[in-house]
């Protein structure tokens, strides 16, 4: 891991760790903020209607998920998966915070906009972490090169087989010519005797 990654990942993860701990400590308050969004989700997706029954539990799950993913990102373990999880949890938090923010005053609207932009910036940062391959090729690159390398190997084997086939044919012709001469010599020897 480079020095930049060694510093950047824990710095990026630190805010998520703090937010996850805060969500776990204040699960009831966070649940109250989540409740309207969970009810809206329950109306649009009947299978998710049960989530609105216990918003504090949902808040705990979100907090624990965010805390775990931030820990993994900070340690550089499963950082691509952790980045995707953090982007998802931050997207949910952004939506909930934006809906619940005070928009009645100019100062409230300004704070809401600033919080939205901060959260969008964090989502961008963790999405960059999600696509970072640590300088190693990703799976798509590996698969693409495996296919092209296999194709080259097959073509090389085909050329080699053709070359060997021509060599065998040439040697067989030589052996047949030699056998033909031997038969003619034997036939002339028999005819001469």
């Amino acid at each position: 891991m480079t020095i930049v990654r060694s510093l950047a990942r824990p710095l990026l993860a630190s805010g998520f760790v703090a937010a996850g701990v805060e969500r776990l400590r204040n699960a009831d308050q966070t649940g109250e903020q989540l409740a309207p969004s969970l009810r809206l989700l329950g109306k649009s997706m009947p299978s998710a209607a049960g989530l609105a029954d216990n918003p504090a539990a949902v808040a705990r799950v979100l907090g624990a998920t965010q805390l775990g993913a931030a820990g993994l990102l900070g340690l550089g373990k499963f950082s691509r998966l952790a980045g995707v999880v953090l982007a998802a949890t931050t997207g949910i938090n952004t939506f909930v915070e934006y809906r619940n923010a005070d928009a009645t005053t100019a100062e409230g609207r300004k704070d809401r906009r600033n919080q939205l932009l901060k959260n969008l910036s964090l989502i961008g940062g963790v999405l960059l972490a999600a696509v970072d391959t640590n300088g190693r090729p990703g799976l798509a690159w590996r698969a693409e090169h495996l296919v092209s390398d296999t194709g080259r190997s097959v073509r090389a084997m085909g050329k080699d087989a053709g070359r060997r086939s021509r060599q065998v044919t040439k040697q067989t012709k030589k052996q047949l010519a030699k056998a033909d001469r031997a038969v003619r010599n034997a036939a002339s020897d028999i005819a001469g005797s």
Side-chain angles (χ1 to χ4, degrees):
M1 193 178 333
T2 64
I3 292 173
V4 171
R5 284 187 183 94
S6 297
L7 292 173
R9 285 187 178 149
L11 289 173
L12 181 59
S14 64
F16 293 106
V17 168
V21 168
E22 188 65 28
R23 295 221 185 286
L24 288 173
R25 282 186 182 161
N26 300 320
D28 293 331
Q29 180 185 1
T30 303
E32 289 174 18
Q33 292 175 343
L34 281 170
S37 300
L38 291 174
R39 281 192 294 275
L40 180 66
L41 180 66
K43 288 178 185 174
S44 62
M45 291 176 49
S47 61
L51 294 175
D53 296 339
N54 196 351
V58 174
R60 283 187 199 92
V61 168
L62 279 174
T65 303
Q66 193 168 15
L67 183 61
L72 289 174
L73 179 65
L75 294 172
K77 304 292 182 196
F78 302 105
S79 55
R80 297 179 82 185
L81 175 63
V84 171
V85 170
L86 287 173
T89 59
T90 305
I92 293 168
N93 292 337
T94 301
F95 177 74
V96 170
E97 287 174 4
Y98 188 78
R99 283 189 55 129
N100 294 326
D102 176 31
T104 57
T105 64
E107 186 67 27
R109 285 190 296 275
K110 181 181 174 186
D111 289 341
R112 183 170 90 160
R113 184 186 69 238
N114 288 340
Q115 187 68 20
L116 174 67
L117 293 174
K118 180 193 73 120
N119 286 339
L120 292 176
S121 298
L122 287 173
I123 291 172
V126 293
L127 286 175
L128 282 175
V131 298
D132 182 26
T133 61
N134 279 337
R136 294 183 302 253
L139 291 177
W141 185 91
R142 290 178 192 187
E144 179 182 326
H145 281 76
L146 177 66
V147 168
S148 68
D149 291 347
T150 303
R152 273 188 248 123
S153 296
V154 167
R155 284 191 297 277
M157 286 176 14
K159 286 180 183 179
D160 187 48
R163 185 173 52 250
R164 287 177 191 239
S165 173
R166 286 188 295 275
Q167 288 175 347
V168 168
T169 302
K170 190 176 179 180
Q171 288 175 352
T172 303
K173 284 182 181 180
K174 283 182 182 178
Q175 293 297 325
L176 285 174
K178 191 176 184 181
D180 186 47
R181 277 192 303 273
V183 169
R184 283 186 192 161
N185 288 339
S188 67
D189 286 345
I190 292 175
S193 342

